[in-house]
Amino acid sequence: MVMEFVKYHGLGNDFILVDNRHQAEPVLTPEQAVEWCDRHFGIGADGVIFALPGQSGTDYTMRIFNSDGSEPEMCGNGIRCLAQFIADLEAAEQGQARHTYTIHTLAGQMVPHLEADGQITVDMGEPRLVAAEIPTTLATPEEKVVNQPLDVAGQSWQVTCVSMGNPHCIARVDDVADIPLAALGPQFEHHFSFPKRTNAEFVQVVQRDYLKMRVWERGAGITLACGTGACATLVAGVLNDWCDRRATVELPGGTLLIHWSEADNRLYMTGPAQRVFAGRR
Ligand code: ZDP
């Protein structure tokens, strides 16, 4: 069967978007998503995202398969791409689109808002900090993991763990350019301390309001950006007093503005989402 898709990217973190509004389950299997994401034998992407009918009163539901076929709970750059995709669909069908959507995800409800300048701000919800919610065995279930030692690749790292619905393990380094990401990433991802595997972020503190970050993504490997990872990194920075609650996070693909609001404990992420091309497969 011929299927239509649209490619989008958020800071070079690229996704295949599928209009799945007519059906409650994704129209592709995880195995098909792996094929579609292949950069040599397929379309090429870090993941496939499905725009599904809403649940529990939300406008839409987002589901995503990573390029290895695993299904993450949440996806920050992806939800900006999803919001732009939906707005583009609504504009094509109705001549106009809304600016704010409520989106159901496996990590709860998220609320992207399309700004007048083309950027998209997403209410990413509250970070989860206790070990049971990461999940990690680095502490007892109710404890936080802040600046704890972790042995990886024959080296002792000081790590902080944050869940944005999906698991993140953050380590501060002097210079992110020096990190052998391809070698280290898989060893963090598959470390026995993370029962659901983990995303791994290496952060360099440039100023209290400017962080540089490189990411190894669970299920996708090296990517140019990670929205949930940028949020988790800022939270780790605040918990360790490396940075302010509002900071720019520079990723290889560009920058995101992240704000951890004191008023409501929620993360607000602002960044772009761009349409690349549409196709059939
Ligand atoms: O947690 C995971 O398995 C991630 N690979 C999900 C994708 C995260 C993403 N890069 C982001 O921006 O949050 C889409």
Side-chain angles (χ1 to χ4, degrees), residues 13 15 64 66 72-78 166-167 199 217-220 223 225-229:
N13 191 195
F15 302 99
I64 167 173
N66 285 318
E73 303 80 355
M74 219 335 242
C75 173
N77 287 320
N166 56 352
N199 296 284
E217 275 191 39
R218 175 181 70 166
T223 59
C226 179
T228 50

Side-chain angles (χ1 to χ4, degrees), residues 203-219:
V203 56
Q204 173 183 344
V205 179
V206 179
Q207 287 172 197
R208 285 191 66 88
D209 63 353
Y210 199 99
L211 308 175
K212 269 191 196 181
M213 190 264 263
R214 284 174 75 203
V215 57
W216 174 271
E217 275 191 39
R218 175 181 70 166

Side-chain angles (χ1 to χ4, degrees), residues 11 77 80 113 115 117-124 231 246-247 249 255-259 267-272:
L11 304 180
N77 287 320
R80 293 200 316 280
H113 176 76
E115 311 278 359
D117 66 358
Q119 296 273 104
I120 299 169
T121 297
V122 186
D123 171 354
M124 301 277 284
C231 291
R246 188 191 295 270
V249 180
T255 62
L256 292 171
L257 181 67
I258 310 292
H259 178 208
L267 269 298
Y268 294 87
M269 170 194 68
T270 302

